[in-house]
Amino acid sequence: MVQIERSAGQAPLLAWVTPMVNGAPTPKFRAVALVDPARRQLTASATLEATFRFTKAEMRLAEQMMNGKSPAEAAQALGITIHTVRTYLKRLYHKAGVRTQATLVRRLLQAAQALPA
């Protein structure tokens, strides 16, 4: 994940880059998802909770991850331990059907971006 700074007062854009391996030893292509956290709608949380059946606590962590926070930063922001974050992450992975943090965040951002404007 890369943050792209913008003018004062605006949240940075988030860019997620995923290698497109497709069996090749080195990736020839990369997929890029560019997200503007400021444009996220309030309904995104409710939609993601319903889609993935996240609890309120899991959704708070998912929002931190979607905003580019590391697990340690999310733990600090939420006032919970890193061990609790890891437990919640395992649950998020299971519910979203993914195995990695990057894939989880990409799936969440894609679901949030699919909402009508």
Side-chain angles (χ1 to χ4, degrees), residues 1-73:
M1 193 263 321
V2 176
Q3 290 189 2
I4 302 168
E5 296 300 323
R6 299 192 299 176
S7 60
Q10 291 186 317
L13 296 174
L14 302 176
W16 294 91
V17 181
T18 305
M20 306 295 286
V21 180
N22 198 21
T26 57
K28 294 185 178 189
F29 302 99
R30 287 175 173 51
V32 178
L34 188 62
V35 177
D36 181 356
R39 292 196 61 204
R40 285 189 49 232
Q41 300 175 355
L42 295 177
T43 57
S45 293
T47 301
L48 291 175
E49 284 181 51
T51 300
F52 297 109
R53 299 187 184 272
F54 293 154
T55 65
K56 299 282 186 204
E58 291 166 347
M59 193 60 226
R60 285 190 294 272
L61 176 59
E63 288 172 340
Q64 292 290 314
M65 304 307 289
M66 289 170 40
N67 285 322
K69 302 287 186 188
S70 71
E73 292 168 333

Side-chain angles (χ1 to χ4, degrees), residues 85-99:
V85 166
R86 289 183 185 135
T87 298
Y88 289 169
L89 275 175
K90 288 177 189 176
R91 292 178 188 167
L92 293 174
Y93 293 166
H94 177 73
K95 290 179 179 183
V98 300
R99 292 183 174 199

